[in-house]
Amino acid sequence: MAMNDEICSKIRMFNRFYTVQMELLSSNYLGSDYCVTETRVLFEIKNHSGCMQSDIVKALHIDKSYLSRIIRRFSAKGLVEKSKCEGDKRAGKLTLTELGNAETENLIALTNNRITSQISGLDQSECNALSAAFDTVISILGKEEY
């Protein structure tokens, strides 16, 4: 097997492992009312309050029509507010409502609890090795800021 084929195979194997470990394929991420994409959209709005939908499309490489449907659902549920942009009346700035912020904080806590439970049996050297492995993957494959 050529080196690129072997690396590709290992990445795919890891992806299959991790998507199951983190329950990323569930329509109810960690028992919540949201899929993982919706969870990530809430997280992006929380961390970039006042961002525009186009910012999220670029950051997550998500289809703009799909994101529009998500934002519409979030608005209907009272999670997100969209205000007009002064420079461009067609664009809107996204912010979380109080309810949206509480939901996002809950999702962050659920995710942190899940990860904490997964690593609870590791000793310090294993945690250090795992952390270094993630740093390595991000430095090799990631060109964007995280």
Side-chain angles (χ1 to χ4, degrees):
M1 184 182 295
M3 183 171 39
N4 283 348
D5 291 342
E6 184 177 335
I7 292 169
C8 182
S9 179
K10 284 188 182 262
I11 290 171
R12 293 185 68 227
M13 181 176 61
F14 174 80
N15 288 344
R16 288 189 301 273
F17 163 78
Y18 197 69
T19 54
V20 171
Q21 287 294 310
M22 287 302 296
E23 300 177 25
L24 299 178
L25 302 176
S26 172
S27 60
N28 300 96
Y29 177 65
L30 298 177
S32 73
D33 293 334
Y34 311 99
C35 70
V36 71
T37 304
E38 292 168 328
T39 301
R40 183 62 192 270
V41 168
L42 286 170
F43 182 80
E44 288 298 317
I45 296 170
K46 178 174 180 55
N47 284 331
H48 302 95
S49 187
C51 67
M52 295 190 290
Q53 283 185 217
S54 60
D55 298 326
I56 296 173
V57 166
K58 288 176 190 168
L60 300 182
H61 305 276
I62 186 174
D63 179 76
K64 62 184 177 181
S65 298
Y66 180 39
L67 179 60
S68 291
R69 291 189 300 274
I70 290 172
I71 298 300
R72 255 193 317 275
R73 278 196 308 275
F74 286 171
S75 293
K77 287 182 170 186
L79 302 173
V80 171
E81 291 178 338
K82 192 173 180 181
S83 59
K84 295 287 180 198
C85 211
E86 290 179 27
D88 184 351
K89 300 288 186 210
R90 297 169 297 156
K93 291 184 177 182
L94 301 172
T95 56
L96 294 178
T97 63
E98 198 172 310
L99 176 62
N101 193 57
E103 284 288 310
T104 305
E105 287 293 330
N106 182 54
L107 291 164
I108 291 169
L110 285 170
T111 302
N112 288 346
N113 290 339
R114 175 73 173 160
I115 294 168
T116 300
S117 72
Q118 287 180 315
I119 63 172
S120 65
L122 302 180
D123 63 30
Q124 190 61 51
S125 67
E126 290 171 318
C127 286
N128 292 344
L130 188 58
S131 180
F134 287 133
D135 288 344
T136 300
V137 169
I138 290 169
S139 72
I140 292 172
L141 296 180
K143 302 299 182 213
E144 300 174 29
E145 290 184 30
Y146 288 94

